[in-house]
């Protein structure tokens, strides 16, 4: 907010920082309005795209738009690991574990150093077709229940005889 106060209130950067403040304050619709206004002013910033992506994913909003935004961040700054990490998170919600793992790998190659238990569990130790049950379990623990059900459904298609998939989907 301090940064936004120092900026011209007609700039995209101003609305970007206002959006960050609103996002941190838990005001989702206000953050979206500010981010959208910054974009309407043709403000191009990988941080804006990544923050907006995280806002959409964390609030179970449009994953399609989230993927478009994070792709713009990567296009603008292909050397920032956090952008690939964020794209991996979007792809998890879209039930694309292989693509998510690929992006987590790119994040690490581009200097992303924060711990990622999902990458460790899903990508490093699990190469089998039961990755969908594991992904479902991860999404379930994140309280992303509709996404977890989608992952379990794919797991059931791959292994129709696994009672664990049915049991977890039931939960």
């Amino acid at each position: 907010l301090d940064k936004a106060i120092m900026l011209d209130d007609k700039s995209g950067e101003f609305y970007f920082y206002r959006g960050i403040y609103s996002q941190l304050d838990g005001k989702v619709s206000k953050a979206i309005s500010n981010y959208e206004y910054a974009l309407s002013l043709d403000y191009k910033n990988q941080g804006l795209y990544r923050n907006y992506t995280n806002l959409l994913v964390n609030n179970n909003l449009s994953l399609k738009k989230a993927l478009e935004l994070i792709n713009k961040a990567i296009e603008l700054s292909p050397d920032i690991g956090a952008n690939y990490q964020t794209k991996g998170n979007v792809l998890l919600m879209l039930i694309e574990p292989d693509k998510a793992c690929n992006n987590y790998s790119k994040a690490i190659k581009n200097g992303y150093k924060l711990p990622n238990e999902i990458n460790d569990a899903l990508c490093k130790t699990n190469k089998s077709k039961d990755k969908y049950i594991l992904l479902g379990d991860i999404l379930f623990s994140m309280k992303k229940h509709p996404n977890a059900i989608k992952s379990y459904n794919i797991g059931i298609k791959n292994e129709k005889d696994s009672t664990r998939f049915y049991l977890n989907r039931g939960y």
Side-chain angles (χ1 to χ4, degrees):
L1 185 60
D2 290 340
K3 177 76 172 165
I5 290 169
M6 295 186 305
L7 296 168
D8 175 13
D9 68 355
K10 305 258 191 285
S11 73
E13 188 178 15
F14 171 81
Y15 288 98
F16 168 48
Y17 281 104
R18 273 186 55 179
I20 292 171
Y21 178 77
S22 297
Q23 186 173 358
L24 292 171
D25 203 27
K27 296 177 180 168
V28 174
S29 61
K30 194 170 184 178
I32 289 172
S33 295
N34 282 296
Y35 290 153
E36 282 294 325
Y37 200 70
L39 292 172
S40 77
L41 295 171
D42 203 32
Y43 183 64
K44 293 180 172 106
N45 178 289
Q46 63 85 27
L48 166 62
Y49 298 131
R50 189 176 61 244
N51 280 17
Y52 197 177
T53 297
N54 284 324
L55 181 72
L56 294 173
V57 171
N58 294 338
N59 290 283
N60 298 315
L61 300 172
S62 174
L63 293 175
K64 180 182 176 189
K65 182 168 186 151
L67 189 58
E68 290 170 7
L69 289 166
I70 199 58
N71 282 334
K72 287 181 181 181
I74 290 169
E75 185 179 310
L76 222 85
S77 301
D79 58 337
I80 296 181
N83 291 335
Y84 294 101
Q85 177 70 25
T86 301
K87 184 173 182 179
N89 294 341
V90 173
L91 291 165
L92 275 185
M93 296 304 135
L94 290 169
I95 321 302
E96 297 279 355
D98 294 329
K99 290 179 182 177
C101 290
N102 185 11
N103 277 275
Y104 291 146
S105 177
K106 288 179 184 178
I108 292 165
K109 286 178 187 168
N110 282 282
Y112 189 81
K113 296 193 185 317
L114 295 176
N116 183 352
E117 294 86 11
I118 295 171
N119 181 39
D120 293 344
L122 185 66
C123 306
K124 290 183 180 175
T125 61
N126 188 8
K127 300 287 185 192
S128 68
K129 63 183 176 181
D130 73 342
K131 64 184 156 212
Y132 290 101
I133 188 76
L134 180 59
L135 177 56
D137 292 347
I138 290 167
L139 294 168
F140 180 81
S141 70
M142 296 169 67
K143 299 191 183 325
K144 304 286 186 183
H145 300 124
N147 306 75
I149 290 169
K150 288 177 188 173
S151 190
Y152 293 136
N153 286 341
I154 293 170
I156 288 169
K157 285 181 187 175
N158 291 340
E159 291 184 53
K160 291 178 178 38
D161 296 333
S162 176
T163 58
R164 182 174 171 210
F165 289 122
Y166 291 99
L167 182 62
N168 287 9
R169 184 176 67 179
Y171 287 137

